[in-house]
Amino acid sequence: MPITTETYGDVAVARLEDELTLDNVSRFEAVLEQPTEEGIRNFVIDLEKTEYLDNAGLEAFDDLIVRLEKSGGQVKFSGLGVTCRKIFELTRFDRRVDTFDSLIDAVRSFQ
């Protein structure tokens, strides 16, 4: 699964190009280490092209949220499709995080 990251000021954007499951969650975590080590504390996870998340994917999100909140950071999500939105709702994850329809709105919300 390709995962790309870009930095806009003090916000890192991670784009997931496929599903996030137990099979690839370690790659997701590894890719996010670099911006974190560079001092980035605010992240947007763009799920526009993500079709599916399993429990391991949600746990990876939760771990990232907890780690960043301890250092004064935040994680927001953009581009949730029907399936990911339903998963967020069923697990009540949507009550813990901010979600945005567009990536631009999510990045701007940090300012």
Side-chain angles (χ1 to χ4, degrees):
M1 166 186 69
I3 303 168
T4 59
T5 59
E6 298 174 81
T7 304
Y8 300 95
D10 64 346
V11 179
V13 174
R15 288 189 173 99
L16 283 70
E17 301 291 328
D18 199 3
E19 59 189 28
L20 184 60
T21 64
L22 181 60
D23 294 335
N24 56 18
V25 75
S26 60
R27 169 134 170 76
F28 170 76
E29 294 168 337
V31 168
L32 296 185
E33 279 303 309
Q34 182 179 358
T36 303
E37 289 174 1
E38 293 172 357
I40 300 292
R41 298 291 174 253
N42 294 318
F43 281 79
V44 174
I45 309 298
D46 183 12
L47 299 175
E48 184 176 2
K49 296 182 180 179
T50 305
E51 297 288 326
Y52 178 72
L53 303 166
D54 70 2
N55 191 50
L58 287 172
E59 285 180 21
F61 290 159
D62 189 57
D63 291 345
L64 179 65
I65 291 165
V66 169
R67 190 172 72 227
L68 292 175
E69 284 179 346
K70 286 181 182 177
S71 61
Q74 214 175 1
V75 180
K76 300 181 182 186
F77 295 84
S78 69
L80 277 74
V82 174
T83 302
C84 287
R85 186 169 304 282
K86 191 67 170 176
I87 291 168
F88 272 45
E89 289 170 358
L90 288 172
T91 60
R92 297 187 178 169
F93 201 71
D94 62 328
R95 295 180 184 185
R96 289 195 53 219
V97 298
D98 293 330
T99 61
F100 296 84
D101 291 332
S102 82
L103 176 61
I104 293 169
D105 290 340
V107 172
R108 284 184 183 158
S109 72
F110 283 105
Q111 299 171 355

